Amino acid sequence: MAEESQASQQAGPPSPSFLTLVLKTFAGLGGGIAGMLILLLIFLGASTILQSALNPDLGLEESGKNPLFIFVFMAMIFLTSLGANILGSLFFTFVEHEKYSRTSTAMYQIFFVNLVAFVIMAPIYLLLDSRGLLDMIGFLAGFHVLLTAVASFMILEIIGNLRYAVVGVYGMVFSLLISTGVSMVIYEFSQRNTTVVLFAALPVMWTTLGFMTVIVEMFYRWLYTLYGTDFLMSKTEYGKDYGEPEPEEALPPPDVSGSEFLKK
C-alpha cells in the first residue's frame, strides 16, 4: 500500500511543527463548536419538549417531563456527537492531509462506530428514563459524547497513521484525562449544572485532542532523537517477541522413483 511504503521510508516518528500544533488545536475547537451549535439548534427547536425536564438553571428534573423527552434527547445527543466527531476528524485531515490521507474510509468508519454506540446505549437511556433517574441521563450523555469522540479519533489514527497508532493512543489517553478534569471543574463552577457540562463537553474534548496529540508527538520525536530508539512504533518488538527466531518451514519430501516408492 502507498501509505505503508511512504511510512516505511520515513526517518523516525512524525515531527510536527508549532504551526501544526496551533492549527490542529483550532481544528479541534472548530469541530467541538460545530457540535455545540448542533446541540443548541436542536435544543432550541425542541425546547417545548426538552425544557419540561431539562432546566438550564436547575439541571435535570423529573417534574412535568414530556413523554417524548427521552426520544428527543437521545436523537439530540446522537446527532450532536456524530456531527462533532465527523467534522472534528475532517478538520484534522485538513491540517495533516499527508498523515490522514484515507479520509473517505475514516469518515465511513467513524459514522458506523457512532451508530453502533448509539444502538448499544439507547436501551440504557430508556431504562434510566423509566426509573426516573434523570440526573444519570445527563451523565450518560456526557459519557456517550466522550466515548464516541475517543472511538472516532482512534479510528482516524489507526486508518491514517497505523505505523505510529500507539503514539496516538497515548495522546488520546492524556486528552481524555485532561478533558474529564476540565469538565469536572466546569461542573463545579456552574453549581453542578448538567446542561452546562453537556454544552461544554464537545469543545473541551476536541480542543484537548487537537492540542495534546501534537504535544505527545513532539515529545516522542524528542525522545527518539535523544535515544535513537523507536520504542512506540507498532512493529517494535519486546519481550519474547524480540529476537525469537521464526519457525523454519518444513522441507518437502524428496522425490523418489516409482520403484523406490514401492519398496517402501
Side-chain angles (χ1 to χ4, degrees), residues 2-262:
E3 294 80 4
E4 284 292 333
S5 60
Q6 181 179 1
S8 61
Q9 296 173 0
Q10 176 184 340
S15 180
S17 63
F18 179 76
L19 179 61
T20 303
L21 173 65
V22 174
L23 292 178
K24 198 167 183 179
T25 301
F26 279 99
L29 176 62
I33 291 177
M36 186 183 67
L37 292 177
I38 296 173
L39 177 64
L40 179 62
L41 290 175
I42 298 176
F43 184 84
L44 294 177
S47 59
T48 56
I49 296 176
L50 293 173
Q51 288 184 359
S52 62
L54 192 60
N55 191 311
D57 297 323
L58 301 177
L60 286 165
E61 297 179 340
E62 186 179 2
S63 59
K65 181 171 67 69
N66 192 299
L68 296 177
F69 161 77
I70 189 60
F71 300 102
V72 176
F73 186 81
M74 289 165 53
M76 179 180 69
I77 297 301
F78 170 69
L79 294 176
T80 298
S81 58
L82 177 64
N85 295 337
I86 288 181
L87 290 176
S89 301
L90 192 62
F91 292 161
F92 283 172
T93 64
F94 292 157
V95 175
E96 296 183 290
H97 182 67
E98 293 183 359
K99 176 181 177 181
Y100 305 118
S101 57
R102 300 173 60 192
T103 304
S104 298
T105 301
M107 294 304 108
Y108 276 109
Q109 295 292 350
I110 289 171
F111 171 78
F112 286 127
V113 76
N114 278 266
L115 182 62
V116 170
F118 174 72
V119 171
I120 293 175
M121 299 182 73
I124 305 177
Y125 280 108
L126 296 174
L127 177 63
L128 294 177
D129 179 68
S130 65
R131 299 197 174 187
L133 301 175
L134 297 182
D135 284 330
M136 294 300 299
I137 292 177
F139 286 105
L140 179 63
F143 174 75
H144 186 171
V145 168
L146 292 177
L147 176 66
T148 54
V150 168
S152 300
F153 177 77
M154 285 312 306
I155 287 176
L156 185 67
E157 284 292 309
I158 292 172
I159 292 178
N161 191 29
L162 181 59
R163 185 179 178 87
Y164 289 100
V166 178
V167 180
V169 171
Y170 278 93
M172 180 271 297
V173 170
F174 289 128
S175 302
L176 181 60
L177 293 175
I178 293 174
S179 60
T180 302
V182 173
S183 298
M184 292 177 66
V185 171
I186 294 174
Y187 180 69
E188 291 296 329
F189 274 90
S190 63
Q191 298 180 351
R192 301 190 175 184
N193 192 324
T194 313
T195 308
V196 174
V197 178
L198 286 178
F199 277 92
L202 285 171
V204 169
M205 183 65 191
W206 278 100
T207 303
T208 310
L209 276 174
F211 179 79
M212 283 306 303
T213 52
V214 179
I215 290 294
V216 170
E217 287 180 354
M218 287 180 169
F219 180 72
Y220 178 62
R221 179 70 186 190
W222 175 75
L223 288 179
Y224 172 78
T225 56
L226 186 63
Y227 295 102
T229 303
D230 207 353
F231 55 89
L232 288 184
M233 187 183 67
S234 58
K235 293 185 179 180
T236 302
E237 298 176 342
Y238 296 95
K240 293 183 179 180
D241 296 333
Y242 178 73
E244 185 173 301
E246 297 182 358
E248 297 181 358
E249 296 183 359
L251 297 176
D255 294 333
V256 294
S257 62
S259 59
E260 292 293 331
F261 178 76
L262 293 176

